Amino acid sequence: MKKTSNFFFRPSRKRILCRSFFFGAIATAGVISNAFSLSSKADAQTPPPIVNNTEINSYAQAVLAMEPARQNAFEEIKKLIGNGEIPKIVCNDSNSINGLPRKAQDIAVNYCTHSQKIVEDNGLSIDQFNKITLELQNNNMLKRQVYNTLLRLQKTPESP
């Protein structure tokens, strides 16, 4: 007979997959945010951006669309580097890209270019995407909204 505690506290594979995908998506968003912030200015007087449901939906769609390309680029770079540690790659930091082998540089640049297009195709500017990504780091309510939107979008079958 199973223990009751195991029954209630054992995370399901689906739940673990959703959690890991969410955190992977947020990590992707962070990398993209760093990649496209050509000049970030801190302004203490500016209130945090207000994000509406349309922007949350666009943001989540962009993150979901970027994830397969991010995983693919990561795997390709990993194969090229071999057993070495893969450095943090930031698109607007030429040092992070220049430190890679030539083929890996091409993969990273292609990924960054493709991700920028995905963001714009989903109705957000790079600045909007970056602001949402930064806001996610400090706003638990927004984080929950984005998480729920990601889950909803993954469950909803795409219309032809």
Side-chain angles (χ1 to χ4, degrees), residues 25-141:
I26 295 302
T28 299
V31 170
I32 297 302
S33 174
N34 285 337
F36 297 118
S37 60
L38 298 175
S39 63
S40 59
K41 297 178 183 177
D43 186 5
Q45 287 79 28
T46 304
I50 298 171
V51 181
N52 65 40
N53 287 336
T54 302
E55 291 171 321
I56 291 171
N57 196 54
S58 295
Y59 181 88
Q61 287 175 329
V63 168
L64 287 173
M66 283 186 268
E67 183 60 17
R70 183 196 68 81
Q71 289 178 358
N72 188 39
F74 180 82
E75 288 302 318
E76 287 183 45
I77 291 171
K78 192 166 126 179
K79 286 177 189 173
L80 291 171
I81 292 179
N83 291 335
E85 185 177 328
I86 298 175
K88 181 178 178 181
I89 299 168
V90 180
C91 295
N92 68 335
D93 178 5
S94 59
N95 291 331
S96 73
I97 294 176
N98 290 339
L100 297 170
R102 184 69 185 143
K103 284 187 177 184
Q105 289 178 18
D106 293 341
I107 293 166
V109 169
N110 287 338
Y111 168 73
C112 292
T113 303
H114 181 66
S115 295
Q116 182 175 2
K117 183 176 178 352
I118 288 171
V119 168
E120 292 167 348
D121 286 349
N122 279 282
L124 293 174
S125 69
I126 298 304
D127 285 341
Q128 286 172 305
F129 186 87
N130 290 341
K131 285 179 185 177
I132 294 170
T133 301
L134 291 173
E135 185 67 22
L136 279 170
Q137 295 172 9
N138 301 316
N139 185 330
N140 287 330
M141 180 180 268

